[in-house]
Amino acid sequence: MDIPNMGVPAGLAARMSMAEQHEYLRGKLSRRTLLRSGAVTVGALAVGGALGSGTAHADPAARTGSPTDGVTGALVAPVGRHLQFGADAGTQMRVSWQVPAAVRKPFLRFGRHPWELSHKIEAEVRALHTPALVDGATPVDQYYLHVELDHLQPGTTYYYGVGHEGFDPASHQAISTLQTFTTAPSRNGRPGRPFEPFTFTAFGDQGVSAHAAGNDNVILAQNPVFHLHAGDICYADPMGQGLDSDKSAYNALTWDAFLAQTEPVSARIPWMVSYGNHDMEAWYSHNGYGGDDARFTLPTNGPDPRRAPGVYAFTYGNVGVVSLDANDVSYEIPVNFGYTNGQQTQWLERKLRELRADESIDFVVVFFHHCAFSTTHQHASEGGVREAWVPLFEKYRVDLVVNGHNHVYERTDAILGNKVGKAVPSGATVDPTKDGIVYVTAGAAGRSLYSFDAPDSYEGHENHQDEVVTYHFEKGAVKAPETVAWSRVRYTGYSFIKVDVTPAHRGATTTMQVTALAENGTRIDHYAITRRAGGTDDGHGHGH
């Protein structure tokens, strides 16, 4: 039986990737019913391509004019502000926000003082139309606005405000809406002088809930310079299969609630996202990221930013950060499996080699959604990640890997060759150049919690198990049983991680202190990662 409103026979669809389904339908359906796949256009009323008759498309007969021709601007206030670094975090910031209705002439003001906001830049409008995906549903129009700021001064705090005709953030009535952002420190002219210490935070699988808001509040208290969100951002698609049939449960308005919930943090701290399985919204584009493209402006230095927008890198101080899209290598949820044709993995090796050759970068952090190593009852470990990327992580001795997908906190010992390279109990120190890599699952940001088959074991409540019976996914979504010794910390509760980075003079020891905090601020785990500052890596884990 065909999947309703999809047009691809169910038996065939089960064997096809999202991109293959798109190509099948593009040849079957009239081109008049399809938008340009994956494109986010300024001044249009829809984003991305369609997978079938129930997908996002524009209706010229019903909608005319510009999406910025709308209500009286004085009646509408901007909401959902969120920041993102550009590829150069020292000179580039992307400011994004939402308006609840179409407005005229949206813009951003910014300057170094709240009374000096003379820089005024017109905003890019990305209007997203979601039709009634199922019978009885109501169409939704959302308006996302973006400004790309370049040529900023590194290590500088700027004030900014967003507005439109009828709402000026520099006016007396709206001055309270001003916010600030701070660019990353300069990477030039630092011979013999280390960067200042800084903190960043990370989690995955947030959604909209009281627990999600609680985690945000504790994150804000850590004063991080950026935050990493390892996929499954808001759960507007609670099904998470990346299929057109997911639309039966899709609610576009969940994004409105999420951006409003996150704004107290994301309006002042760059909120850097990677994409999980629940972020593949099939009706917007052939690979499911058309809606995400409307909402975020991420760095465009990945292998193909139009097809794989969640793959990019940036640096902050002595830390290089790499975001990956694990949907590309997932055996468990294979709808986008192989959609980059290996380009992402090739780019990953080039990027890791480049970061390790940069003497100003000591630590490399990689974050993405599907877990390389986890023991939960629900998803456990992703064999596709282990096969495609873990050998590269080990070759270039990545210092920290952060995942989501499993809604718990779990941390491994240092792993080399799928075995324990060094036991890392809470409070211990690890050197990735000789001990191996610690993998952190930080997927308890706010969505309903998962469970372990082994008992919880965390700081102050240790119950270490020498062996844990679990599984990993192999091709065909097959669960392959395994018994592992690397599961060191397990905590079934809402939480996130903060990472305190202490740079050092060349040749001295530099440190990343990784701490897991529960949503009430209680510490549940901590350990340290150390390296020799200013050393480079030859691609075999040896600094020189």
Side-chain angles (χ1 to χ4, degrees):
M1 182 176 69
D2 287 0
I3 297 174
N5 296 321
M6 184 173 180
V8 179
L12 181 60
R15 301 191 301 272
M16 298 172 72
S17 70
M18 194 179 297
E20 289 169 339
Q21 294 174 35
H22 172 73
E23 292 301 320
Y24 175 94
L25 287 164
R26 192 165 72 173
K28 180 178 178 182
L29 299 176
S30 166
R31 295 185 68 86
R32 291 179 300 171
T33 65
L34 297 173
L35 295 173
R36 292 178 297 167
S37 88
V40 179
T41 60
V42 181
L45 276 173
V47 176
L51 271 179
S53 59
T55 57
H57 67 281
D59 182 353
R63 301 174 185 86
T64 59
S66 166
T68 57
D69 293 335
V71 300
T72 301
L75 303 178
V76 177
V79 294
R81 291 166 295 177
H82 50 291
L83 302 173
Q84 304 107 96
F85 284 132
D88 183 349
T91 65
Q92 297 177 324
M93 189 69 73
R94 285 47 179 126
V95 183
S96 306
W97 69 99
Q98 187 176 9
V99 286
V103 297
R104 291 180 57 83
K105 300 180 180 180
F107 63 88
L108 174 142
R109 289 188 182 275
F110 78 105
R112 296 193 183 186
H113 304 283
W115 57 86
E116 294 179 3
L117 300 175
S118 58
H119 297 289
K120 183 177 179 182
I121 301 177
E122 181 181 354
E124 174 191 0
V125 181
R126 301 180 193 169
L128 185 65
H129 175 66
T130 307
L133 296 174
V134 295
D135 292 342
T138 302
V140 175
D141 286 293
Q142 293 164 304
Y143 303 95
Y144 300 103
L145 308 171
H146 303 264
V147 168
E148 298 186 9
L149 297 175
D150 297 320
H151 310 297
L152 300 171
Q153 292 298 311
T156 302
T157 296
Y158 291 89
Y159 287 80
Y160 78 93
V162 295
H164 47 263
E165 186 176 280
F167 184 97
D168 192 332
S171 68
H172 176 73
Q173 293 84 353
I175 194 73
S176 63
T177 66
L178 293 183
Q179 263 294 358
T180 63
F181 64 77
T182 302
T183 52
S186 174
R187 308 196 56 76
N188 300 319
R190 304 188 65 87
R193 185 164 61 94
F195 294 99
E196 294 296 323
F198 61 92
T199 297
F200 67 91
T201 52
F203 61 37
D205 304 79
Q206 187 176 21
V208 180
S209 71
H211 297 290
N215 263 335
D216 282 352
N217 291 335
V218 182
I219 284 172
L220 195 59
Q222 312 310 310
N223 196 30
V225 295
F226 61 84
H227 178 74
L228 306 179
H229 194 312
D232 282 6
I233 301 170
C234 87
Y235 289 85
D237 174 10
M239 305 297 286
Q241 296 302 304
L243 298 170
D244 188 76
S245 55
D246 286 5
K247 65 191 176 190
S248 62
Y250 184 73
N251 182 0
L253 297 179
T254 303
W255 278 105
D256 298 358
F258 174 81
L259 292 174
Q261 168 190 274
T262 308
E263 186 174 23
V265 186
S266 62
R268 55 184 288 188
I269 297 164
W271 195 268
M272 308 303 292
V273 302
S274 63
Y275 294 142
N277 53 296
H278 286 272
D279 304 314
M280 297 185 292
E281 298 168 340
W283 34 93
Y284 294 125
S285 69
H286 72 276
N287 60 11
Y289 302 130
D292 301 306
D293 284 343
R295 303 175 191 108
F296 297 96
T297 299
L298 299 172
T300 56
N301 58 355
D304 187 346
R306 290 193 303 173
R307 294 189 66 225
V311 184
Y312 59 89
F314 68 94
T315 57
Y316 192 104
N318 65 334
V319 176
V321 181
V322 180
S323 170
L324 299 176
D325 181 3
N327 293 315
D328 185 28
V329 297
S330 174
Y331 291 155
E332 179 195 6
I333 304 171
V335 68
N336 258 357
F337 182 82
Y339 82 100
T340 72
N341 297 316
Q343 292 182 33
Q344 178 176 202
T345 300
Q346 295 168 15
W347 173 84
L348 171 62
E349 176 152 27
R350 292 195 302 271
K351 179 54 65 175
L352 292 178
R353 185 186 305 119
E354 173 189 318
L355 292 171
R356 283 299 179 218
D358 188 336
E359 294 187 1
S360 70
I361 296 174
D362 299 315
F363 297 108
V364 175
V365 176
V366 181
F367 75 110
F368 54 91
H369 189 60
H370 300 64
C371 297
F373 297 96
S374 182
T375 64
T376 66
H377 184 76
Q378 284 75 6
H379 292 301
S381 303
E382 174 55 71
V385 168
R386 288 190 188 178
E387 291 183 21
W389 297 342
V390 166
L392 294 178
F393 298 158
E394 295 187 353
K395 178 179 179 180
Y396 294 97
R397 289 299 195 266
V398 166
D399 298 283
L400 173 63
V401 177
V402 180
N403 300 134
H405 202 39
N406 287 299
H407 302 180
V408 293
Y409 174 78
E410 185 171 17
R411 177 178 63 76
T412 71
D413 288 319
I415 295 176
L416 270 178
N418 203 34
K419 297 179 181 179
V420 175
K422 178 184 178 180
V424 187
S426 189
T429 297
V430 61
D431 180 350
T433 63
K434 60 183 180 180
D435 299 329
I437 302 167
V438 172
Y439 295 80
V440 173
T441 298
R447 197 65 172 174
S448 58
L449 296 170
Y450 288 175
S451 61
F452 296 105
D453 290 328
D456 278 16
S457 180
Y458 55 95
E459 193 167 325
H461 298 79
E462 283 79 6
N463 188 359
H464 180 65
Q465 306 292 299
D466 291 334
E467 293 185 337
V468 175
V469 177
T470 182
Y471 65 91
H472 66 271
F473 279 98
E474 294 183 343
K475 287 184 178 179
V478 174
K479 293 182 179 179
E482 62 180 353
T483 300
V484 304
W486 41 251
S487 180
R488 173 59 58 173
V489 180
R490 296 174 299 277
Y491 176 73
T492 309
Y494 295 101
S495 56
F496 66 94
I497 65 169
K498 75 164 181 171
V499 182
D500 297 309
V501 183
T502 305
H505 290 279
R506 182 180 176 86
T509 299
T510 179
T511 305
M512 286 202 308
Q513 180 77 35
V514 182
T515 302
L517 296 175
E519 65 174 327
N520 62 3
T522 301
R523 190 176 74 182
I524 56 174
D525 183 30
H526 75 289
Y527 75 100
I529 306 169
T530 61
R531 270 189 179 268
R532 180 168 59 87
T536 57
D537 196 291
D538 61 7
H540 298 284
H542 307 296
H544 57 91

mmCIF file of all heavy atoms in Angstrom, residues 491-528:
data_model
loop_
_atom_site.group_PDB
_atom_site.id
_atom_site.type_symbol
_atom_site.label_atom_id
_atom_site.label_comp_id
_atom_site.label_asym_id
_atom_site.label_seq_id
_atom_site.Cartn_x
_atom_site.Cartn_y
_atom_site.Cartn_z
ATOM 1 N N TYR A 491 23.956 8.229 33.813
ATOM 2 C CA TYR A 491 23.067 9.041 34.647
ATOM 3 C C TYR A 491 21.748 9.234 33.917
ATOM 4 O O TYR A 491 21.704 9.785 32.814
ATOM 5 C CB TYR A 491 23.704 10.403 34.932
ATOM 6 C CG TYR A 491 22.817 11.349 35.712
ATOM 7 C CD1 TYR A 491 22.564 11.151 37.067
ATOM 8 C CD2 TYR A 491 22.245 12.460 35.088
ATOM 9 C CE1 TYR A 491 21.754 12.032 37.786
ATOM 10 C CE2 TYR A 491 21.444 13.346 35.801
ATOM 11 C CZ TYR A 491 21.192 13.124 37.150
ATOM 12 O OH TYR A 491 20.401 13.987 37.847
ATOM 13 N N THR A 492 20.673 8.756 34.519
ATOM 14 C CA THR A 492 19.338 8.875 33.937
ATOM 15 C C THR A 492 18.660 10.104 34.535
ATOM 16 O O THR A 492 17.895 10.010 35.495
ATOM 17 C CB THR A 492 18.514 7.616 34.223
ATOM 18 O OG1 THR A 492 19.265 6.460 33.845
ATOM 19 C CG2 THR A 492 17.214 7.631 33.416
ATOM 20 N N GLY A 493 18.977 11.255 33.991
ATOM 21 C CA GLY A 493 18.406 12.510 34.478
ATOM 22 C C GLY A 493 18.754 13.624 33.524
ATOM 23 O O GLY A 493 19.683 13.514 32.718
ATOM 24 N N TYR A 494 18.017 14.710 33.591
ATOM 25 C CA TYR A 494 18.253 15.846 32.696
ATOM 26 C C TYR A 494 19.578 16.509 33.053
ATOM 27 O O TYR A 494 19.887 16.714 34.234
ATOM 28 C CB TYR A 494 17.097 16.834 32.788
ATOM 29 C CG TYR A 494 15.809 16.242 32.275
ATOM 30 C CD1 TYR A 494 14.833 15.763 33.152
ATOM 31 C CD2 TYR A 494 15.595 16.112 30.906
ATOM 32 C CE1 TYR A 494 13.662 15.195 32.676
ATOM 33 C CE2 TYR A 494 14.429 15.547 30.427
ATOM 34 C CZ TYR A 494 13.464 15.090 31.312
ATOM 35 O OH TYR A 494 12.319 14.507 30.829
ATOM 36 N N SER A 495 20.350 16.868 32.020
ATOM 37 C CA SER A 495 21.719 17.322 32.268
ATOM 38 C C SER A 495 22.319 17.923 31.005
ATOM 39 O O SER A 495 21.717 17.884 29.929
ATOM 40 C CB SER A 495 22.583 16.140 32.740
ATOM 41 O OG SER A 495 22.530 15.077 31.785
ATOM 42 N N PHE A 496 23.529 18.460 31.146
ATOM 43 C CA PHE A 496 24.307 18.971 30.024
ATOM 44 C C PHE A 496 25.767 18.972 30.452
ATOM 45 O O PHE A 496 26.086 18.652 31.608
ATOM 46 C CB PHE A 496 23.866 20.387 29.624
ATOM 47 C CG PHE A 496 24.135 21.433 30.668
ATOM 48 C CD1 PHE A 496 25.301 22.190 30.649
ATOM 49 C CD2 PHE A 496 23.225 21.661 31.698
ATOM 50 C CE1 PHE A 496 25.557 23.146 31.619
ATOM 51 C CE2 PHE A 496 23.474 22.624 32.669
ATOM 52 C CZ PHE A 496 24.647 23.362 32.632
ATOM 53 N N ILE A 497 26.674 19.319 29.532
ATOM 54 C CA ILE A 497 28.072 19.419 29.916
ATOM 55 C C ILE A 497 28.572 20.851 29.722
ATOM 56 O O ILE A 497 28.101 21.584 28.850
ATOM 57 C CB ILE A 497 28.988 18.447 29.142
ATOM 58 C CG1 ILE A 497 29.031 18.775 27.653
ATOM 59 C CG2 ILE A 497 28.578 17.016 29.392
ATOM 60 C CD1 ILE A 497 30.117 18.009 26.906
ATOM 61 N N LYS A 498 29.488 21.232 30.586
ATOM 62 C CA LYS A 498 30.231 22.475 30.383
ATOM 63 C C LYS A 498 31.706 22.103 30.283
ATOM 64 O O LYS A 498 32.169 21.140 30.914
ATOM 65 C CB LYS A 498 29.993 23.477 31.496
ATOM 66 C CG LYS A 498 30.692 23.193 32.804
ATOM 67 C CD LYS A 498 30.704 24.451 33.675
ATOM 68 C CE LYS A 498 31.424 24.207 34.987
ATOM 69 N NZ LYS A 498 31.629 25.447 35.754
ATOM 70 N N VAL A 499 32.426 22.861 29.476
ATOM 71 C CA VAL A 499 33.842 22.591 29.244
ATOM 72 C C VAL A 499 34.612 23.866 29.540
ATOM 73 O O VAL A 499 34.419 24.885 28.867
ATOM 74 C CB VAL A 499 34.103 22.131 27.795
ATOM 75 C CG1 VAL A 499 35.580 21.802 27.598
ATOM 76 C CG2 VAL A 499 33.237 20.918 27.451
ATOM 77 N N ASP A 500 35.454 23.818 30.556
ATOM 78 C CA ASP A 500 36.283 24.959 30.940
ATOM 79 C C ASP A 500 37.667 24.773 30.325
ATOM 80 O O ASP A 500 38.374 23.805 30.638
ATOM 81 C CB ASP A 500 36.397 25.052 32.458
ATOM 82 C CG ASP A 500 35.061 25.301 33.127
ATOM 83 O OD1 ASP A 500 34.358 26.243 32.713
ATOM 84 O OD2 ASP A 500 34.702 24.538 34.047
ATOM 85 N N VAL A 501 38.031 25.693 29.452
ATOM 86 C CA VAL A 501 39.290 25.603 28.712
ATOM 87 C C VAL A 501 40.302 26.560 29.335
ATOM 88 O O VAL A 501 40.026 27.757 29.498
ATOM 89 C CB VAL A 501 39.086 25.952 27.229
ATOM 90 C CG1 VAL A 501 40.394 25.784 26.454
ATOM 91 C CG2 VAL A 501 37.976 25.091 26.629
ATOM 92 N N THR A 502 41.479 26.022 29.676
ATOM 93 C CA THR A 502 42.558 26.837 30.231
ATOM 94 C C THR A 502 43.756 26.757 29.294
ATOM 95 O O THR A 502 44.535 25.801 29.355
ATOM 96 C CB THR A 502 42.954 26.360 31.640
ATOM 97 O OG1 THR A 502 41.794 26.339 32.479
ATOM 98 C CG2 THR A 502 44.004 27.274 32.249
ATOM 99 N N PRO A 503 43.901 27.720 28.391
ATOM 100 C CA PRO A 503 45.061 27.718 27.495
ATOM 101 C C PRO A 503 46.362 27.932 28.266
ATOM 102 O O PRO A 503 46.358 28.335 29.435
ATOM 103 C CB PRO A 503 44.770 28.888 26.540
ATOM 104 C CG PRO A 503 43.281 29.100 26.639
ATOM 105 C CD PRO A 503 42.952 28.784 28.069
ATOM 106 N N ALA A 504 47.482 27.664 27.594
ATOM 107 C CA ALA A 504 48.783 27.782 28.258
ATOM 108 C C ALA A 504 49.826 28.274 27.265
ATOM 109 O O ALA A 504 49.616 28.265 26.051
ATOM 110 C CB ALA A 504 49.197 26.430 28.847
ATOM 111 N N HIS A 505 50.958 28.707 27.793
ATOM 112 C CA HIS A 505 52.073 29.088 26.944
ATOM 113 C C HIS A 505 52.576 27.869 26.171
ATOM 114 O O HIS A 505 52.444 26.728 26.629
ATOM 115 C CB HIS A 505 53.216 29.666 27.785
ATOM 116 C CG HIS A 505 52.904 31.008 28.385
ATOM 117 N ND1 HIS A 505 53.021 32.177 27.674
ATOM 118 C CD2 HIS A 505 52.478 31.355 29.627
ATOM 119 C CE1 HIS A 505 52.682 33.199 28.441
ATOM 120 N NE2 HIS A 505 52.344 32.730 29.637
ATOM 121 N N ARG A 506 53.137 28.098 25.017
ATOM 122 C CA ARG A 506 53.671 27.024 24.183
ATOM 123 C C ARG A 506 54.622 26.144 24.990
ATOM 124 O O ARG A 506 55.518 26.625 25.683
ATOM 125 C CB ARG A 506 54.396 27.616 22.979
ATOM 126 C CG ARG A 506 54.947 26.568 22.017
ATOM 127 C CD ARG A 506 55.661 27.233 20.850
ATOM 128 N NE ARG A 506 56.269 26.249 19.966
ATOM 129 C CZ ARG A 506 55.635 25.652 18.965
ATOM 130 N NH1 ARG A 506 54.384 25.969 18.710
ATOM 131 N NH2 ARG A 506 56.242 24.761 18.204
ATOM 132 N N GLY A 507 54.381 24.830 24.905
ATOM 133 C CA GLY A 507 55.206 23.863 25.611
ATOM 134 C C GLY A 507 54.692 23.502 26.984
ATOM 135 O O GLY A 507 55.085 22.465 27.536
ATOM 136 N N ALA A 508 53.812 24.339 27.561
ATOM 137 C CA ALA A 508 53.221 24.027 28.863
ATOM 138 C C ALA A 508 51.963 23.178 28.673
ATOM 139 O O ALA A 508 51.534 22.908 27.552
ATOM 140 C CB ALA A 508 52.894 25.317 29.618
ATOM 141 N N THR A 509 51.366 22.762 29.768
ATOM 142 C CA THR A 509 50.188 21.903 29.704
ATOM 143 C C THR A 509 48.918 22.740 29.647
ATOM 144 O O THR A 509 48.693 23.600 30.514
ATOM 145 C CB THR A 509 50.119 20.967 30.925
ATOM 146 O OG1 THR A 509 51.278 20.130 30.932
ATOM 147 C CG2 THR A 509 48.873 20.096 30.873
ATOM 148 N N THR A 510 48.100 22.506 28.631
ATOM 149 C CA THR A 510 46.804 23.164 28.504
ATOM 150 C C THR A 510 45.712 22.144 28.832
ATOM 151 O O THR A 510 45.889 20.943 28.590
ATOM 152 C CB THR A 510 46.618 23.754 27.100
ATOM 153 O OG1 THR A 510 45.334 24.376 27.003
ATOM 154 C CG2 THR A 510 46.729 22.695 26.019
ATOM 155 N N THR A 511 44.584 22.620 29.361
ATOM 156 C CA THR A 511 43.580 21.723 29.927
ATOM 157 C C THR A 511 42.179 22.068 29.464
ATOM 158 O O THR A 511 41.830 23.246 29.328
ATOM 159 C CB THR A 511 43.613 21.790 31.473
ATOM 160 O OG1 THR A 511 44.936 21.499 31.926
ATOM 161 C CG2 THR A 511 42.638 20.803 32.094
ATOM 162 N N MET A 512 41.371 21.034 29.236
ATOM 163 C CA MET A 512 39.921 21.164 29.121
ATOM 164 C C MET A 512 39.304 20.361 30.258
ATOM 165 O O MET A 512 39.477 19.140 30.316
ATOM 166 C CB MET A 512 39.389 20.633 27.776
ATOM 167 C CG MET A 512 39.655 21.507 26.593
ATOM 168 S SD MET A 512 38.506 21.209 25.190
ATOM 169 C CE MET A 512 38.633 19.438 24.967
ATOM 170 N N GLN A 513 38.612 21.044 31.140
ATOM 171 C CA GLN A 513 37.910 20.376 32.234
ATOM 172 C C GLN A 513 36.466 20.160 31.808
ATOM 173 O O GLN A 513 35.732 21.121 31.577
ATOM 174 C CB GLN A 513 37.958 21.229 33.503
ATOM 175 C CG GLN A 513 37.261 20.616 34.705
ATOM 176 C CD GLN A 513 38.067 19.509 35.362
ATOM 177 O OE1 GLN A 513 39.283 19.574 35.406
ATOM 178 N NE2 GLN A 513 37.393 18.495 35.873
ATOM 179 N N VAL A 514 36.055 18.905 31.688
ATOM 180 C CA VAL A 514 34.701 18.558 31.265
ATOM 181 C C VAL A 514 33.876 18.221 32.499
ATOM 182 O O VAL A 514 34.246 17.335 33.281
ATOM 183 C CB VAL A 514 34.703 17.366 30.286
ATOM 184 C CG1 VAL A 514 33.284 17.046 29.824
ATOM 185 C CG2 VAL A 514 35.608 17.660 29.085
ATOM 186 N N THR A 515 32.761 18.925 32.663
ATOM 187 C CA THR A 515 31.899 18.731 33.834
ATOM 188 C C THR A 515 30.477 18.486 33.368
ATOM 189 O O THR A 515 29.964 19.219 32.516
ATOM 190 C CB THR A 515 31.928 19.963 34.746
ATOM 191 O OG1 THR A 515 33.268 20.228 35.149
ATOM 192 C CG2 THR A 515 31.059 19.749 35.976
ATOM 193 N N ALA A 516 29.840 17.473 33.903
ATOM 194 C CA ALA A 516 28.422 17.229 33.636
ATOM 195 C C ALA A 516 27.612 17.763 34.803
ATOM 196 O O ALA A 516 27.902 17.459 35.966
ATOM 197 C CB ALA A 516 28.154 15.745 33.446
ATOM 198 N N LEU A 517 26.598 18.573 34.486
ATOM 199 C CA LEU A 517 25.741 19.169 35.497
ATOM 200 C C LEU A 517 24.305 18.723 35.292
ATOM 201 O O LEU A 517 23.795 18.729 34.167
ATOM 202 C CB LEU A 517 25.806 20.695 35.427
ATOM 203 C CG LEU A 517 27.161 21.345 35.730
ATOM 204 C CD1 LEU A 517 27.088 22.842 35.496
ATOM 205 C CD2 LEU A 517 27.609 21.042 37.150
ATOM 206 N N ALA A 518 23.629 18.352 36.370
ATOM 207 C CA ALA A 518 22.200 18.071 36.318
ATOM 208 C C ALA A 518 21.447 19.385 36.173
ATOM 209 O O ALA A 518 22.009 20.470 36.349
ATOM 210 C CB ALA A 518 21.757 17.335 37.579
ATOM 211 N N GLU A 519 20.159 19.292 35.845
ATOM 212 C CA GLU A 519 19.386 20.513 35.590
ATOM 213 C C GLU A 519 19.243 21.408 36.816
ATOM 214 O O GLU A 519 18.886 22.579 36.683
ATOM 215 C CB GLU A 519 17.998 20.160 35.046
ATOM 216 C CG GLU A 519 17.126 19.403 36.020
ATOM 217 C CD GLU A 519 15.720 19.197 35.488
ATOM 218 O OE1 GLU A 519 15.221 20.065 34.759
ATOM 219 O OE2 GLU A 519 15.128 18.149 35.798
ATOM 220 N N ASN A 520 19.557 20.881 38.002
ATOM 221 C CA ASN A 520 19.541 21.727 39.197
ATOM 222 C C ASN A 520 20.929 22.251 39.547
ATOM 223 O O ASN A 520 21.118 22.868 40.594
ATOM 224 C CB ASN A 520 18.958 20.966 40.388
ATOM 225 C CG ASN A 520 19.786 19.740 40.772
ATOM 226 O OD1 ASN A 520 20.833 19.470 40.184
ATOM 227 N ND2 ASN A 520 19.306 18.988 41.758
ATOM 228 N N GLY A 521 21.899 22.016 38.655
ATOM 229 C CA GLY A 521 23.250 22.510 38.865
ATOM 230 C C GLY A 521 24.170 21.566 39.611
ATOM 231 O O GLY A 521 25.357 21.858 39.776
ATOM 232 N N THR A 522 23.673 20.408 40.058
ATOM 233 C CA THR A 522 24.494 19.444 40.771
ATOM 234 C C THR A 522 25.499 18.792 39.830
ATOM 235 O O THR A 522 25.148 18.379 38.720
ATOM 236 C CB THR A 522 23.618 18.347 41.403
ATOM 237 O OG1 THR A 522 22.686 18.949 42.301
ATOM 238 C CG2 THR A 522 24.472 17.332 42.165
ATOM 239 N N ARG A 523 26.738 18.683 40.260
ATOM 240 C CA ARG A 523 27.761 18.019 39.446
ATOM 241 C C ARG A 523 27.595 16.512 39.534
ATOM 242 O O ARG A 523 27.534 15.949 40.626
ATOM 243 C CB ARG A 523 29.164 18.418 39.912
ATOM 244 C CG ARG A 523 30.270 17.968 38.955
ATOM 245 C CD ARG A 523 31.629 18.466 39.397
ATOM 246 N NE ARG A 523 32.135 17.720 40.553
ATOM 247 C CZ ARG A 523 33.283 17.985 41.166
ATOM 248 N NH1 ARG A 523 34.023 19.011 40.755
ATOM 249 N NH2 ARG A 523 33.674 17.262 42.205
ATOM 250 N N ILE A 524 27.552 15.850 38.379
ATOM 251 C CA ILE A 524 27.392 14.400 38.342
ATOM 252 C C ILE A 524 28.606 13.694 37.746
ATOM 253 O O ILE A 524 28.706 12.462 37.811
ATOM 254 C CB ILE A 524 26.122 14.002 37.556
ATOM 255 C CG1 ILE A 524 26.148 14.582 36.143
ATOM 256 C CG2 ILE A 524 24.868 14.423 38.312
ATOM 257 C CD1 ILE A 524 25.000 14.100 35.255
ATOM 258 N N ASP A 525 29.544 14.477 37.171
ATOM 259 C CA ASP A 525 30.739 13.872 36.583
ATOM 260 C C ASP A 525 31.719 14.985 36.253
ATOM 261 O O ASP A 525 31.316 16.110 35.955
ATOM 262 C CB ASP A 525 30.382 13.095 35.312
ATOM 263 C CG ASP A 525 31.580 12.381 34.689
ATOM 264 O OD1 ASP A 525 32.491 11.986 35.433
ATOM 265 O OD2 ASP A 525 31.596 12.211 33.449
ATOM 266 N N HIS A 526 33.005 14.688 36.324
ATOM 267 C CA HIS A 526 34.015 15.608 35.807
ATOM 268 C C HIS A 526 35.303 14.854 35.535
ATOM 269 O O HIS A 526 35.619 13.868 36.211
ATOM 270 C CB HIS A 526 34.258 16.778 36.776
ATOM 271 C CG HIS A 526 35.052 16.434 37.991
ATOM 272 N ND1 HIS A 526 34.555 15.658 39.018
ATOM 273 C CD2 HIS A 526 36.329 16.751 38.353
ATOM 274 C CE1 HIS A 526 35.467 15.530 39.964
ATOM 275 N NE2 HIS A 526 36.561 16.178 39.577
ATOM 276 N N TYR A 527 36.020 15.292 34.524
ATOM 277 C CA TYR A 527 37.341 14.756 34.224
ATOM 278 C C TYR A 527 38.090 15.802 33.409
ATOM 279 O O TYR A 527 37.494 16.773 32.920
ATOM 280 C CB TYR A 527 37.247 13.427 33.466
ATOM 281 C CG TYR A 527 36.851 13.554 32.013
ATOM 282 C CD1 TYR A 527 37.812 13.508 31.006
ATOM 283 C CD2 TYR A 527 35.524 13.743 31.640
ATOM 284 C CE1 TYR A 527 37.455 13.639 29.669
ATOM 285 C CE2 TYR A 527 35.159 13.866 30.314
ATOM 286 C CZ TYR A 527 36.129 13.811 29.336
ATOM 287 O OH TYR A 527 35.781 13.951 28.022
ATOM 288 N N ALA A 528 39.395 15.636 33.263
ATOM 289 C CA ALA A 528 40.226 16.623 32.579
ATOM 290 C C ALA A 528 40.905 16.003 31.364
ATOM 291 O O ALA A 528 41.320 14.837 31.381
ATOM 292 C CB ALA A 528 41.268 17.189 33.529
#
